Amino acid sequence: LLRLPAVAGCGSWPIGLEVIEGGDAKRNELVLFTLSQVGLPYRWGGHSPTGGFDCSGLVVYAFQQSLQVNVPRTSIAQSRIGREIPNGELRSGDLVFFNTMRQRFSHVGIYVGDSRFVHAPAANERVRLDRLDAPYWAGRFDGARRLIA
């Protein structure tokens, strides 16, 4: 893992950098851990399996527990780290972002391969696996970021 200095304030991350070395092995660790969270409840502001997850809380928890890496807490802040990735070049472990609240980067999930991603969708739902090419998600796709080099 790379240790990167904070810039522009307490706890912020450098913009545009890949932050984790380890390639396929690290991507696989993250994906397997994230898939193990499928079925857990959604809770706004949630960031643990006992209390439930919101979308960005799931990302924070998955990166911390599987890779011991802290990422920013909100989807908007998460959209500013790592390296921007074109949709056709997605790899497992990339973060995928959506406009679900009439605001760019208002939703985030973790890409797991084969056009699928894991996310915590909304109140009264559970962490689940969805397809990027499903009409709802394809029409709201905002982009992707790679944090694992």
Side-chain angles (χ1 to χ4, degrees), residues 3-4 11-12 21 35 39 41 52 57 62-63 66 73 85 98 106 111 120 124 129 132 136 140-142 144 148:
R3 214 161 182 23
L4 299 173
S12 60
E21 295 288 337
L35 286 167
F63 271 84
S66 66
R73 178 61 182 90
I85 300 300
F98 305 90
S106 55
Y111 185 72
N124 300 316
L129 195 59
L132 282 175
Y136 179 85
R140 289 165 174 78
F141 185 74
D142 261 346
I148 302 173

Side-chain angles (χ1 to χ4, degrees), residues 89-120:
E89 296 178 22
L90 288 172
R91 296 173 81 180
S92 295
D94 289 344
L95 299 183
V96 288
F97 297 91
F98 305 90
N99 179 340
T100 58
M101 302 169 70
R102 297 187 182 132
Q103 179 182 0
R104 289 185 52 103
F105 309 113
S106 55
H107 188 69
V108 62
I110 298 174
Y111 185 72
V112 297
D114 195 30
S115 294
R116 299 174 303 160
F117 68 104
V118 173
H119 65 124

Side-chain angles (χ1 to χ4, degrees), residues 2-148:
L2 294 175
R3 214 161 182 23
L4 299 173
V7 296
C10 180
S12 60
W13 284 44
I15 295 172
L17 298 176
E18 293 182 86
V19 295
I20 304 164
E21 295 288 337
D24 289 339
K26 294 292 183 188
R27 277 188 279 282
N28 290 339
E29 286 178 48
L30 176 65
V31 166
L32 289 173
F33 184 84
T34 303
L35 286 167
S36 75
Q37 306 307 298
V38 169
L40 293 174
Y42 176 93
R43 182 174 66 91
W44 189 83
H47 57 303
S48 74
T50 54
F53 293 106
D54 66 11
C55 65
S56 59
L58 174 64
V59 169
V60 167
Y61 186 76
F63 271 84
Q64 209 295 311
Q65 294 298 308
S66 66
L67 303 177
Q68 293 73 53
V69 171
N70 295 320
V71 297
R73 178 61 182 90
T74 67
S75 59
I76 291 171
Q78 291 168 359
S79 76
R80 296 180 181 131
I81 61 171
R83 184 169 58 94
E84 188 172 334
I85 300 300
N87 191 5
E89 296 178 22
L90 288 172
R91 296 173 81 180
S92 295
D94 289 344
L95 299 183
V96 288
F97 297 91
F98 305 90
N99 179 340
T100 58
M101 302 169 70
R102 297 187 182 132
Q103 179 182 0
R104 289 185 52 103
F105 309 113
S106 55
H107 188 69
V108 62
I110 298 174
Y111 185 72
V112 297
D114 195 30
S115 294
R116 299 174 303 160
F117 68 104
V118 173
H119 65 124
N124 300 316
E125 296 194 37
R126 296 188 172 273
V127 174
R128 69 179 188 222
L129 195 59
D130 270 320
R131 295 194 58 84
L132 282 175
D133 54 6
Y136 179 85
W137 297 111
R140 289 165 174 78
F141 185 74
D142 261 346
R145 306 293 290 193
R146 180 163 298 149
L147 278 64
I148 302 173

